Amino acid sequence: MTTSDTLATAQKPTPRFRLPDIPEKHPDDMTTSKHLAQNGNMYNLSQHLGKQETTIVSGERYICRAPGSAMRYPDLLVAFNADTALFEYHNGYIISEQGKPPDFVLEIASRRTGATDTGVKRDYYESLEIAEYWRFDETGEYHGARLAGDILSDGRFRPTKIEALAGDASMGGALRGHSVALGLYLHWEAGQLAFYDPATGAPIASLETERERADRAEARIHRLEALLRAQNPSE
């Protein structure tokens, strides 16, 4: 005999797979927050890339090929033409559910993760056929390079060109590499990570630069109004 409770249980849908939260951060790993969250880089990148209904710009959530397979969590992940709702539902990026790998991942060096970023994680992201894998190291101590990028070609990661730019030698100068996936330059500048727009040659807009732009525009309006009043004192 089937009771109402049994029937109700049988009719409940099977819960879909959900990735766990990442482990609590070790103090040595707080470089991620410093270079992506505290300075607004992740938010600025999300605003610059736009199309937020189909573009994922996120970090510190697991990525895997399929439910139950090996998982890793990058410091920054970008995926275009993605299902953002599915990403939230699964609490991470599952390639078999999204139908494509992410387009870009980035790791920020720390004392504890440096060797993993250049070894195990590089191999893992290559196996997932992620288009680009970038690494940023404030000092160059943990990755062996301050800025490095790998581009997927014929199923294998190939190092991309990193240019040395003129800069204050006492601050380590500046380095940049071009991300085809993002359509931006990644810069290492005096130990800071920055994203530059090739079209303008300037860093992508931030809350601070937008505020400065608005202040300059307002100042121009005030100067114009004062000039008009001076030319037409009777009005």
Side-chain angles (χ1 to χ4, degrees), residues 24-40:
E24 184 176 349
K25 280 284 187 179
H26 187 279
D28 285 351
D29 299 337
M30 295 312 292
T31 50
T32 300
S33 177
K34 175 182 177 181
H35 292 290
L36 290 176
Q38 293 176 12
N39 60 9

Side-chain angles (χ1 to χ4, degrees), residues 122-141:
R122 184 183 186 277
D123 294 342
Y124 177 73
Y125 296 142
E126 182 183 72
S127 75
L128 297 184
E129 298 185 320
I130 293 173
E132 294 187 7
Y133 173 41
W134 288 81
R135 294 172 299 284
F136 174 87
D137 187 337
E138 182 175 339
T139 65
E141 178 182 0

Side-chain angles (χ1 to χ4, degrees), residues 14-22 56 58-69 71-73 77 82-100:
T14 302
R16 297 182 67 178
F17 189 81
R18 182 174 173 82
L19 294 168
D21 293 332
I22 67 168
I56 297 170
S58 184
E60 300 184 340
R61 293 202 201 183
Y62 279 111
I63 174 176
C64 64
R65 182 178 297 280
S69 63
M71 302 182 298
R72 293 282 177 179
Y73 53 91
L77 174 152
D83 189 326
T84 56
L86 201 59
F87 179 75
E88 294 298 330
Y89 187 86
H90 289 304
N91 193 38
Y93 199 98
I94 304 177
I95 294 174
S96 63
E97 296 288 321
Q98 292 283 350
K100 62 180 288 290

